[in-house]
């Protein structure tokens, strides 16, 4: 049975499904899911991420976390964790950049949270010699100081969409029309989680809710708040969601999210305010939401690019210049992507960020 047939059968049996259920099926179905069956990253895949654009991204993230570790008295055992590590490139670059920091590698227990067996195999290859361990739930993170990065992880978590209707909301649902998947709207209802959004929306406005992000962030912020550490959450999005940001990417082109289930990457912009609220509720501090370009410039990406440029020429030099621009320029990823830093209240945010 193909994924489309499976989805049509599920809708025939249970009725229209939420965007969240559709995303979860398309991305993580055990045999047909987008992430479970392939390596989606890079030029031949469907999308490219910052660590795949340049080694500089992972190097600077690694140094920012390592500086936080030093500032917090370099605990002799800590967890160095990543959520959704993709090909393992970011963690490999972080480890290379921090190899000469005395004691850092010896104190680090490397823990990866990854749902895809295909990507776990690729991560094992990229991180050969570093002895990483995989967990199936963030609640399995050890109770120890936690230094964590998540790049383009939260945008892959399932969201629900709601359209404002008077003092209530109608959920956007996926049903069928003539044997194909089609959009529809559920009945008008109150939504407790959206009561604050009645103040800043009008009839017909669409808002998104990512319930799955909250328990994950609560655990991470709880560990950092109680045991020390730092977290860097990097993703595209903003403080508050407004409008439809659900999108499908296939071979670097946008496609209709309902047309090829399981064949395209599905994402939504990350709404950072609920993440920040969950962080504070768990007893942890967070930084200002900072554009990726500003964060990387403060960490010295231009100096690092100049050092790398000194030994390059021709097309490699051009590629480096293009990568620097792509990561930092406001018209490219510099503004669209944001960084939220987590840190224990008495200490300072990780370098590159402000309280
Ligand atoms: N951080 C990497 C990859 C981003 S793609 C990079 O920057 O290149 C999203 C990653 O999150 C993939 O590794 C994907 O398999 C993983 N992922 C998506 N949903 C997940 C979930 N619910 N639980 C665990 N991992 C998930």
């Amino acid at each position: 049975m193909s994924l489309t047939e499976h989805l049509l059968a599920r809708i025939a049996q249970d009725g229209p499904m939420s965007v969240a259920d559709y995303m979860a099926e398309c991305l993580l179905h055990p045999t047909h899911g987008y992430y479970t069956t392939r390596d989606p990253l890079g030029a031949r895949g469907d999308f490219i991420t910052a660590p795949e654009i340049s080694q500089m991204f992972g190097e600077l993230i690694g140094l920012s976390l390592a500086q936080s570790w030093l500032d917090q008295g370099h605990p002799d055992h800590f967890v160095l964790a990543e959520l959704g590590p993709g090909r393992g490139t970011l963690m490999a670059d972080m480890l290379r950049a921090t190899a000469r920091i005395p004691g850092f590698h010896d104190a680090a227990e490397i823990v990866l949270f990854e749902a895809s067996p295909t990507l776990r195999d690729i991560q094992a290859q990229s991180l050969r010699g570093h002895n990483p361990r995989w967990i199936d739930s963030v609640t399995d993170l050890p109770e120890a100081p936690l230094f964590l990065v998540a790049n383009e992880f939260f945008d892959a978590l399932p969201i629900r969409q709601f359209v404002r209707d008077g003092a209530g909301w109608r959920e956007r649902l996926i049903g069928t029309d003539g044997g194909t998947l089609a959009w529809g709207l559920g009945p008008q209802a109150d939504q407790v989680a959206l009561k604050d959004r009645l103040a800043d929306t009008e009839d017909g406005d669409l808002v998104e809710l990512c319930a799955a992000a909250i328990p994950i962030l609560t655990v991470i912020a709880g560990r950092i708040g109680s045991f020390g550490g730092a977290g860097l959450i990097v993703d595209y999005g903003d403080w508050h969601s407004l409008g439809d940001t659900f999108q499908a990417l296939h071979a670097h082109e946008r496609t209709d999210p309902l047309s090829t289930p399981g064949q395209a990457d599905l994402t939504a912009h990350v709404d950072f305010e609920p993440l920040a609220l969950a962080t504070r509720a768990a007893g942890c501090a967070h930084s200002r939401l900072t554009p990726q370009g500003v964060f990387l410039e403060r960490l010295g990406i231009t100096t690092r690019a100049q050092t790398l440029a000194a030994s390059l020429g021709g097309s490699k030099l051009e590629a480096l210049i293009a990568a620097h621009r792509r990561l930092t320029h406001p018209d490219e990823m510099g503004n669209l992507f944001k960084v939220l830093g987590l840190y224990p209240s008495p200490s300072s945010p990780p370098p590159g960020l402000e309280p």
Side-chain angles (χ1 to χ4, degrees):
M1 197 193 266
S2 72
L3 186 58
T4 305
E5 287 162 349
H6 166 74
L7 292 166
L8 291 170
R10 183 175 157 175
I11 293 167
Q13 190 176 322
D14 302 337
M17 63 170 77
S18 67
V19 180
D21 287 346
Y22 180 76
M23 277 181 91
E25 290 269 28
C26 290
L27 295 178
L28 294 174
H29 184 280
T31 48
H32 296 299
Y34 178 75
Y35 283 119
T36 27
T37 55
R38 77 195 69 213
D39 170 9
L41 290 144
R44 269 168 295 143
D46 294 309
F47 61 96
I48 188 155
T49 55
E52 302 296 335
I53 291 171
S54 168
Q55 67 184 76
M56 296 184 289
F57 184 78
E59 290 171 348
L60 295 170
I61 298 255
L63 293 172
S64 175
L65 290 181
Q67 185 63 51
S68 291
W69 173 76
L70 288 168
D71 292 344
Q72 291 179 38
H74 48 85
D76 59 10
H77 169 240
F78 70 93
V79 174
L80 184 62
E82 183 171 357
L83 308 183
R87 281 187 183 158
T89 309
L90 171 53
M91 183 56 82
D93 290 338
M94 287 167 61
L95 289 167
R96 198 185 52 259
T98 54
R100 292 212 205 119
I101 297 175
F104 188 72
H105 281 200
D106 287 344
E109 177 186 353
I110 298 167
V111 178
L112 308 174
F113 178 52
E114 172 58 66
S116 157
T118 310
L119 290 175
R120 281 189 184 200
D121 287 346
I122 298 173
Q123 291 154 19
Q125 288 292 318
S126 312
L127 298 170
R128 260 188 330 269
H130 289 292
N131 208 15
R133 176 162 83 76
W134 285 265
I135 52 173
D136 296 322
S137 160
V138 288
T139 54
D140 295 334
L141 282 168
E143 301 204 325
L146 172 64
F147 293 83
L148 173 140
V149 63
N151 184 60
E152 290 210 46
F153 166 77
F154 284 96
D155 66 20
L157 296 182
I159 53 136
R160 291 170 71 187
Q161 293 187 320
F162 296 89
V163 178
R164 173 90 183 262
D165 181 4
W169 302 89
R170 297 180 69 186
E171 181 158 14
R172 231 178 147 214
L173 297 173
I174 295 159
T176 56
D177 184 14
T180 55
L181 297 168
W183 287 108
L185 282 178
Q188 200 246 34
D190 283 349
Q191 293 294 338
V192 178
L194 291 175
K195 70 174 177 351
D196 293 346
R197 300 306 304 269
L198 290 173
D200 71 341
T201 53
E202 296 173 5
D203 242 11
D205 279 350
L206 187 150
V207 300
E208 298 175 334
L209 208 55
C210 183
I214 305 305
I216 295 176
L217 214 81
T218 302
V219 171
I220 292 165
R223 293 286 193 280
I224 295 172
S226 306
F227 301 100
L232 291 171
I233 296 171
V234 189
D235 230 307
Y236 64 129
D238 226 317
W239 192 242
H240 236 65
S241 90
L242 188 61
D244 178 12
T245 73
F246 181 48
Q247 69 164 31
L249 269 188
H250 182 65
H252 302 266
E253 299 284 340
R254 281 180 85 139
T255 62
D256 174 355
L258 302 192
S259 67
T260 50
Q263 307 293 313
D265 184 39
L266 299 179
T267 58
H269 283 206
V270 173
D271 208 4
F272 280 94
E273 187 183 35
L275 302 188
L277 290 174
T279 299
R280 293 208 291 271
C284 183
H286 63 79
S287 71
R288 276 187 214 189
L289 190 62
T290 304
Q292 172 174 299
V294 172
F295 171 70
L296 294 174
E297 287 295 356
R298 285 182 185 153
L299 292 175
I301 192 169
T302 300
T303 311
R304 179 63 183 136
Q306 284 161 347
T307 308
L308 290 170
S311 58
L312 297 177
S315 62
K316 287 199 168 146
L317 179 59
E318 279 168 29
L320 174 77
I321 294 166
H324 173 272
R325 182 186 151 90
R326 195 153 172 204
L327 292 177
T328 58
H329 198 281
D331 294 341
E332 306 232 14
M333 296 170 83
N335 236 353
L336 180 61
F337 281 73
K338 309 283 191 315
V339 188
L340 186 73
L342 274 53
Y343 58 100
S345 320
S347 49
S348 323
L353 299 173
E354 292 170 339

